[in-house]
């Protein structure tokens, strides 16, 4: 995912980890804790689907996850939301079923997580994190999704959280 006009973000409060630019992505299908073989099976299903590149803009930053203790601070897609939601909706059942993962029944919410609140954050740190997230103006930022990627955890998580195992361009 290529993102323009988002960086640099203001310094986050304590117990908030901002994602590296290389980690920014919109999740097509979250598989959870599956092994490499299952992930490759799901990847082969996703690669067989035809997706066109999507461009758009963000609306706002919203806290996602458990409503009483959110962890993801995510830029919600505005312009471009419909085609991304369609991609997610088309892919989630066949990919999840290919790996034996639970199929997410919630309506698709195209978003890009920009930061995470750490688990050990206390109530004051959590409030500061939410306030920081609400102060971010992402409406000027744009994105382009031009490929699908199969992600896993990065080996060295000091700088990046994720690494791309394989990438496949969207069709033009």
């Amino acid at each position: 995912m290529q993102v323009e006009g988002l960086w640099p973000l203001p310094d986050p409060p304590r117990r908030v980890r901002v994602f590296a630019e290389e980690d920014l992505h919109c999740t097509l299908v979250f598989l959870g804790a599956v092994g490499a073989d299952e992930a490759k099976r799901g990847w082969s299903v996703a690669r067989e689907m035809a997706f066109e590149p999507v461009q758009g803009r963000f609306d706002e930053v919203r806290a996602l996850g458990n409503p009483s203790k959110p962890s993801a601070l995510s830029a919600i897609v505005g312009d471009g939301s419909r085609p991304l939601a369609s991609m997610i909706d088309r892919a989630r059942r066949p990919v999840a079923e290919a790996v034996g993962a639970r199929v997410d029944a919630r309506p698709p919410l195209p978003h890009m997580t920009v930061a995470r609140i750490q688990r050990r954050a206390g109530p004051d740190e959590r409030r500061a994190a939410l306030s920081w997230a609400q102060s971010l103006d992402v409406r000027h930022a744009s994105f382009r999704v031009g490929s699908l990627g199969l992600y896993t955890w990065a080996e060295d998580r000091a700088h990046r959280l994720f690494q791309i195992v394989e990438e496949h361009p969207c069709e033009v």
Side-chain angles (χ1 to χ4, degrees):
M1 174 178 223
Q2 299 166 327
V3 179
E4 300 288 330
L6 185 63
W7 302 104
L9 292 177
D11 289 338
R14 184 173 144 89
R15 304 280 188 226
V16 172
R17 180 171 183 171
V18 174
F19 281 21
E21 281 189 76
E22 302 86 11
D23 285 339
L24 298 176
H25 65 279
C26 284
T27 300
L28 184 64
V29 181
F30 180 73
L31 301 177
V34 299
D37 291 341
E38 289 87 0
K40 294 277 187 171
R41 229 180 5 259
W43 174 246
S44 68
V45 170
R47 279 191 54 172
E48 294 302 316
M49 303 176 112
F51 296 113
E52 292 186 15
V54 177
Q55 296 184 71
R57 295 194 168 279
F58 301 102
D59 275 348
E60 63 179 335
V61 174
R62 194 182 306 164
L64 299 178
N66 182 330
S68 64
K69 200 174 181 181
S71 61
L73 304 174
S74 301
I76 305 300
V77 174
D79 294 340
S81 181
R82 282 191 178 157
L84 283 176
S86 176
M87 288 170 69
I88 294 167
D89 197 44
R90 282 181 45 221
R92 67 168 38 156
R93 179 169 298 284
V95 172
E97 288 177 349
V99 304
R102 180 183 66 83
V103 177
D104 190 347
R106 298 173 297 181
L109 178 63
H111 66 278
M112 178 188 72
T113 298
V114 297
R116 283 211 173 269
I117 303 171
Q118 295 176 352
R119 288 185 185 144
R120 62 182 176 263
D124 290 342
E125 293 165 327
R126 194 167 290 284
R127 277 191 290 279
L130 296 175
S131 177
W132 175 81
Q134 290 172 347
S135 76
L136 299 176
D137 183 3
V138 296
R139 293 171 295 171
H140 61 280
S142 63
F143 68 87
R144 182 175 190 280
V145 175
S147 63
L148 301 179
L150 176 60
Y151 286 78
T152 190
W153 295 116
E155 291 179 22
D156 176 10
R157 297 186 59 175
H159 173 68
R160 293 189 63 180
L161 294 176
F162 311 109
Q163 65 184 15
I164 296 177
V165 176
E166 290 188 41
E167 194 168 9
H168 182 69
C170 293
E171 297 175 8
V172 179

